[in-house]
Amino acid sequence: MTSAAQISPVFTAFFRQMRHHRLYTAINIAGLALGLATCLTFGLIVRYEFTFDRWLTDAGNIYRLDAVNASDGKPAEIADAPFRVYDALRTAFPEITHATRIRPEGISIITPDDIHSSNALYVDPDFFATLPYPLIRGNAATALSAPNSIVLSEERAQAYFHTVDVVGRRLSVDHDGRKADLTVTGVLGPVPGNTTLRPDMLIPIDSTMLASPAFMEWGIEGGYLFFRLRSPSDARHMQNAMVQFSNDHVPTRVREKGELRDWRVRGLPSVHFLDGTLGASDASRSGVIMLGLIGVLALLSALINTINLSTARGLLRAREVAMRKTLGATRSDLIVQFMGEAMLLVLCAAIPALALIEIAIPTVNALGGWDIVIPYSLLLPALMGLTVIVGLMAGAYPALWLSSYQPAKVLAASRMATMGRLGAIVRLGLVVMQFGFAIGLSASSMVILCQSNFVRDMDRGFESSGLAFIPFIDNVGPAATQLALMDAFRSIPGVTTVSSLYTMPGGFGFSAADYFFPVNAPDRRPHLEWQDVGRDYFRLFRLHLIAGRLFDDAHGEDDQQKGDGTHSVIIDVSSARALGYATPEAALGQTIRKDTGQTSWQVIGVVNNVRLGSARWENVPSIYFYSSKPKHFASAGIRFENRPKQDVKTALQAIWRQRAPGLAFRALLATDLLSNDYRDDEQRGELLAIGAGVAIFIAVMGMYALASFTVARRMLEVGIRKTLGATTGRVLALLMGQFLRPVVGAGLIGCALAWMAMRNWLSGFEARITLSPLYFASVFVAALLVAALTVLFQTLRVARAEPARALRAE
């Protein structure tokens, strides 16, 4: 047992070291504080991401049903499911205790002072029994049982009524042109940020919606389908029976098209990272693990500093150890002392580390889009646990090594004790590890930031600046009303082009795809995305005509809504290639058909490829049909020039309120829609850069302190070399070379590991930068330069010292 007599000298020695060696103590505490803060901050990120949805009661027995289609012969899981499966699923699997369909929809909320655009989830009455979200007002068992009821989030209740006591109040909504007065039956309680579904409001699915194609057709994914089971064994049984379930219930024509071949039963806690792999979200398991690893390595880097500096300073305490042993101190007394000093040092760093975490979390939340709240009941024990672990690790090696000195040898020696060859190798290895991590992380963050810049600035085949969209204008009324609205938009000063379309940049809006084939080669059936577009669509996006002509009203066959027979179609260069045409010109005049019908189209033009979706996705070839009148799910696109975007938005809103007074106005800029494609990677790169900056700062502080000590120890050697004729330049080159040698080795190792990691990361992008050696070489050179500048002043000082002074100092 450790006695008070053993502990008292620990505090005495620790405070004496702090007083006499302020620089080394400050460097150690600063490095450890940064390491602890980085480790725990990134640890909070990992905890936040890996605990998605686990706050829900019995979350382990909540599941989502995903559909599996066969795209080009390959199974493709999607996070949605056709709602047609709902009744058949509950009948076929009695182990399902509760289930709900969830259909996200944009609606308008009509209040006395304004019209608000909002997102609602249309759900079944069993919603709260399936997903037990908390209610602060209302009864979960009955809140969604009435047809015209609505449950609001606390935020929405405050926004619309300025109070949460709103049960029984009425709210006017407009959904797809259908107005209704709904009664508020509940208010949702606070929902943690790490929740997959964070509803603004919940509305029961009505009879009109039940009769829509999304609920009646097997081939249309209506939204999410969640259900609750009794145990994980029920989930395994369901999964094993899913192929047979499809054979029994899904129509043959649907399965033959490659749709609904199979299903996946996915546990709710797993869907967060799963959606990232399915393209339904930006969640990345590997990215989160990387952040956690960075936190651990940052702490390890600070620990390496402490060990290196403790052992280096320990050489100066060899005579102190020898004297204490001579006066009767045992080896255990010395081990307790040095371990205690290390523990006190880490404890001193824990206090500023806590302050740094408080400062860092708001910045981290802003960068990553998180909503992390510091859980002090967890953080404080974790901080104390880390303090003990790091203290033991920091003090173990120096304590065991220093306490092993033989008093007679140390006191009889005329020179300072050394650690020997093994000690030098250990210290060299620690420095290589430390700088290797910092250099590798810096190179990785540079690659990620360069890739995000590439995605932001790359040529997508259209001009995104000066381009705005109003989604789903079919809500304003019939086609004639929509055309009149777009004509009014054309009258706005600065607006040059207006057209209707399906798919907006960033994958927003409505999208459709099917298999097409040339009539003279029916076995060639590529999967192509298609759009119904309005007049001036190609002017709107400023696409380039490669061959043929564009749609115009002078050719009646161009319009899909005029007459029967063969109409016109325009394809892009990739579609021409996919359909088997050697050149764009060869596609002109050719006739193609859709796999699901007998309608024929003649190719009249070929335009350049356009990337509307993510840089991660394979760019699917596109095909365009012309409709003089907007069809269902159409949106409006507006191009403007020489006028501020806010002015154009204000003018668009004024016209919208005149012609669609009961609907909320929403305008989206193409640049904002596309920012989703690179923002997350940009934020991740910035976080990595912060981690790299911390690692480099810790490493540089350690090198500075180590260089200061090493230079002081080698004064005699420098004096002898200069006495024997060595010049200042040669001495400087010798010392700098010895300091920078481990940095060179660390750079080679760090860059090699970063190269492999970034090559794997970039493989997830269909459009990506070339992994050039210049990224790694520039970081390598910068690290060498920083390291050289760190030790230059101290080495230059000793290299320029007069030999007599150096010898006298020793």
Side-chain angles (χ1 to χ4, degrees):
M1 298 258 325
T2 302
S3 65
Q6 287 178 304
I7 294 176
S8 178
V10 172
F11 288 92
T12 303
F14 176 72
F15 288 114
R16 184 175 65 246
Q17 291 294 320
M18 286 186 66
R19 186 171 63 254
H20 292 165
H21 306 289
R22 296 184 181 90
L23 174 64
Y24 299 103
T25 303
I27 287 175
N28 264 327
I29 291 176
L32 287 169
L34 277 173
L36 287 168
T38 304
C39 182
L40 289 172
T41 300
F42 283 23
L44 289 174
I45 296 173
V46 173
R47 176 181 176 271
Y48 179 91
E49 288 283 330
F50 274 91
T51 55
F52 252 74
D53 299 309
R54 295 182 186 274
W55 63 273
L56 284 167
T57 303
D58 200 22
N61 284 325
I62 302 173
Y63 296 85
R64 188 181 72 191
L65 186 69
D66 290 358
V68 178
N69 298 336
S71 178
D72 296 328
K74 300 177 181 178
E77 180 179 349
I78 55 177
D80 297 336
F83 288 155
R84 184 72 172 80
V85 74
Y86 179 76
D87 292 326
L89 190 74
R90 300 205 67 169
T91 301
F93 299 101
E95 52 263 54
I96 295 176
T97 60
H98 303 282
T100 181
R101 293 163 289 193
I102 301 176
R103 182 169 177 82
E105 291 280 0
I107 64 174
S108 297
I109 304 295
I110 304 168
T111 61
D113 55 343
D114 203 355
I115 300 173
H116 311 268
S117 177
S118 185
N119 295 315
L121 297 183
Y122 282 84
V123 301
D124 287 293
D126 227 8
F127 176 85
F128 286 112
T130 309
L131 296 166
Y133 282 64
L135 285 180
I136 58 174
R137 297 290 188 279
N139 185 346
T142 59
L144 296 169
S145 57
N148 289 320
S149 57
I150 183 171
V151 175
L152 299 176
S153 68
E154 186 177 3
E155 181 182 0
R156 292 294 176 173
Q158 289 285 358
Y160 301 149
F161 299 105
H162 310 294
T163 179
V164 295
D165 294 317
V166 295
V167 173
R169 303 280 290 270
R170 307 282 288 179
L171 196 63
S172 297
V173 305
D174 187 300
H175 175 227
D176 285 344
R178 295 185 289 116
K179 291 182 172 62
D181 287 331
L182 304 182
T183 302
V184 180
T185 55
V187 177
L188 290 167
V191 175
N194 53 346
T195 306
T196 300
L197 295 174
R198 302 187 66 191
D200 289 332
M201 56 194 66
L202 302 170
I203 303 174
I205 297 169
D206 57 27
S207 57
T208 303
M209 190 173 285
L210 287 172
S212 67
F215 286 78
M216 300 297 294
E217 299 286 341
W218 278 101
I220 298 178
E221 285 78 33
Y224 307 116
L225 201 163
F226 284 91
F227 53 91
R228 182 179 285 277
L229 299 174
R230 295 184 182 89
S231 67
S233 60
D234 289 341
R236 291 190 292 270
H237 169 257
M238 281 189 65
Q239 185 61 72
N240 294 333
M242 275 302 169
V243 173
Q244 185 61 46
F245 174 81
S246 276
N247 293 334
D248 292 342
H249 295 88
V250 180
T252 304
R253 60 177 176 78
V254 176
R255 287 185 282 112
E256 287 179 348
K257 286 175 58 181
E259 298 180 6
L260 306 182
R261 296 273 185 88
D262 199 357
W263 310 80
R264 293 288 182 269
V265 178
R266 299 297 191 183
L268 177 60
S270 69
V271 301
H272 174 59
F273 290 123
L274 173 66
D275 285 350
T277 63
L278 299 181
S281 76
D282 296 310
S284 169
R285 181 187 297 271
S286 60
V288 173
I289 292 174
M290 181 184 295
L291 289 178
L293 184 61
I294 289 168
V296 173
L297 291 176
L299 181 57
L300 181 61
S301 182
L303 179 61
I304 288 172
N305 265 7
T306 304
I307 292 174
N308 272 339
L309 294 180
S310 295
T311 52
R313 295 300 303 173
L315 297 175
L316 301 177
R317 302 179 68 179
R319 294 184 182 275
E320 173 194 339
V321 171
M323 289 297 297
R324 288 199 60 192
K325 279 192 170 186
T326 301
L327 295 174
T330 65
R331 188 177 185 187
S332 62
D333 292 334
L334 294 171
I335 290 176
V336 168
Q337 176 183 331
F338 292 122
M339 291 289 288
E341 289 180 23
M343 198 74 71
L344 288 173
L345 185 70
V346 180
L347 188 61
C348 288
I351 298 172
L354 190 60
L356 288 172
I357 294 170
E358 287 272 9
I359 296 169
I361 287 298
T363 302
V364 165
N365 282 338
L367 284 176
W370 294 297
D371 187 22
I372 299 172
V373 178
I374 300 177
Y376 286 100
S377 60
L378 178 66
L379 179 66
L380 292 178
L383 180 59
M384 294 310 298
L386 273 181
T387 299
V388 173
I389 293 171
V390 173
L392 292 174
M393 294 177 67
Y397 179 60
L400 293 173
W401 170 66
L402 286 172
S403 64
S404 66
Y405 281 152
Q406 298 297 321
K409 292 182 179 180
V410 172
L411 295 175
S414 59
R415 297 181 58 190
M416 186 187 300
T418 66
M419 294 179 64
R421 186 173 182 82
L422 178 61
I425 292 174
V426 170
R427 193 160 61 208
L428 180 66
L430 292 175
V431 172
V432 169
M433 184 188 304
Q434 188 180 42
F435 271 93
F437 159 62
I439 292 171
L441 187 57
S442 300
S444 298
S445 63
M446 175 177 285
V447 172
I448 291 174
L449 289 172
C450 288
Q451 170 65 16
S452 63
N453 290 338
F454 168 78
V455 173
R456 181 187 59 200
D457 301 329
M458 71 178 180
D459 182 10
R460 293 176 176 266
F462 68 94
E463 188 174 326
S464 60
S465 60
L467 191 56
F469 300 92
I470 299 178
F472 302 122
I473 60 169
D474 53 343
N475 292 335
V476 305
T481 305
Q482 298 173 46
L483 289 172
L485 177 67
M486 290 193 290
D487 285 338
F489 289 158
R490 291 186 180 95
S491 67
I492 296 174
V495 172
T496 60
T497 312
V498 179
S499 185
S500 61
L501 54 116
Y502 273 171
T503 308
M504 294 176 278
F508 289 82
F510 177 76
S511 61
D514 214 320
Y515 295 93
F516 292 81
F517 64 92
V519 294
N520 58 355
D523 293 334
R524 193 179 189 97
R525 295 173 180 253
H527 194 247
L528 310 177
E529 288 189 351
W530 58 270
Q531 286 201 65
D532 278 315
V533 301
R535 177 163 55 95
D536 296 331
Y537 173 86
F538 300 101
R539 283 185 56 208
L540 176 76
F541 278 86
R542 295 184 175 172
L543 304 188
H544 303 296
L545 182 65
I546 307 299
R549 65 175 179 85
L550 299 177
F551 297 127
D552 63 64
D553 292 323
H555 294 78
E557 68 275 9
D558 288 1
D559 194 343
Q560 306 294 308
Q561 298 178 337
K562 291 183 178 179
D564 298 321
T566 302
H567 289 97
S568 303
V569 69
I570 292 176
I571 61 178
D572 65 10
V573 174
S574 294
S575 291
R577 191 180 305 115
L579 290 165
Y581 305 123
T583 64
E585 291 75 12
L588 299 179
Q590 300 295 326
T591 303
I592 63 173
R593 286 182 181 173
K594 191 187 292 186
D595 196 35
T596 55
Q598 297 300 315
T599 305
S600 299
W601 295 274
Q602 186 178 66
V603 179
I604 63 165
V606 180
V607 296
N608 63 286
N609 295 329
V610 173
R611 178 181 289 277
L612 295 177
S614 171
R616 295 178 182 274
W617 308 338
E618 182 180 357
N619 201 28
V620 181
S622 297
I623 206 166
Y624 306 95
F625 305 113
Y626 171 56
S627 294
S628 56
K629 297 178 181 178
K631 290 190 174 182
H632 195 39
F633 302 127
S635 299
I638 301 98
R639 179 166 292 283
F640 57 92
E641 292 179 349
N642 303 321
R643 193 173 180 190
K645 59 185 179 184
Q646 191 55 49
D647 289 354
V648 174
K649 274 190 172 184
T650 302
L652 290 170
Q653 185 177 26
I655 291 175
W656 179 271
R657 288 185 170 176
Q658 291 174 2
R659 296 179 176 269
L663 297 176
F665 172 76
R666 188 183 181 200
L668 307 171
L669 293 172
T671 49
D672 292 339
L673 295 176
L674 291 173
S675 68
N676 294 313
D677 198 14
Y678 61 83
R679 186 189 297 117
D680 287 333
D681 289 322
E682 189 173 60
Q683 292 168 341
R684 190 174 293 116
E686 290 170 352
L687 278 173
L688 290 180
I690 291 173
V694 170
I696 290 174
F697 183 69
I698 292 173
V700 165
M701 284 196 305
M703 174 165 277
Y704 176 83
L706 203 58
S708 177
F709 167 76
T710 304
V711 164
R713 284 189 66 243
R714 300 182 67 176
M715 288 289 285
L716 175 62
E717 175 191 343
V718 170
I720 294 173
R721 287 181 179 275
K722 296 196 76 172
T723 301
L724 296 176
T727 63
T728 298
R730 292 187 64 180
V731 172
L732 180 64
L734 173 67
L735 295 176
M736 290 290 290
Q738 290 178 346
F739 281 124
L740 296 182
R741 193 176 299 121
V743 180
V744 172
L748 295 175
I749 295 171
C751 287
L753 294 175
W755 176 283
M756 291 187 289
M758 289 299 98
R759 184 177 61 179
N760 180 64
W761 180 75
L762 286 173
S763 66
F765 290 85
E766 203 269 339
R768 56 182 180 265
I769 60 174
T770 301
L771 194 59
S772 169
L774 290 177
Y775 298 123
F776 305 91
S778 59
V779 171
F780 191 5
V781 171
L784 278 175
L785 182 61
V786 169
L789 292 175
T790 301
V791 300
L792 178 62
F793 174 76
Q794 297 179 77
T795 52
L796 185 61
R797 177 172 56 84
V798 72
R800 296 174 62 181
E802 297 177 358
R805 181 183 174 189
L807 294 173
R808 186 167 58 251
E810 180 65 19

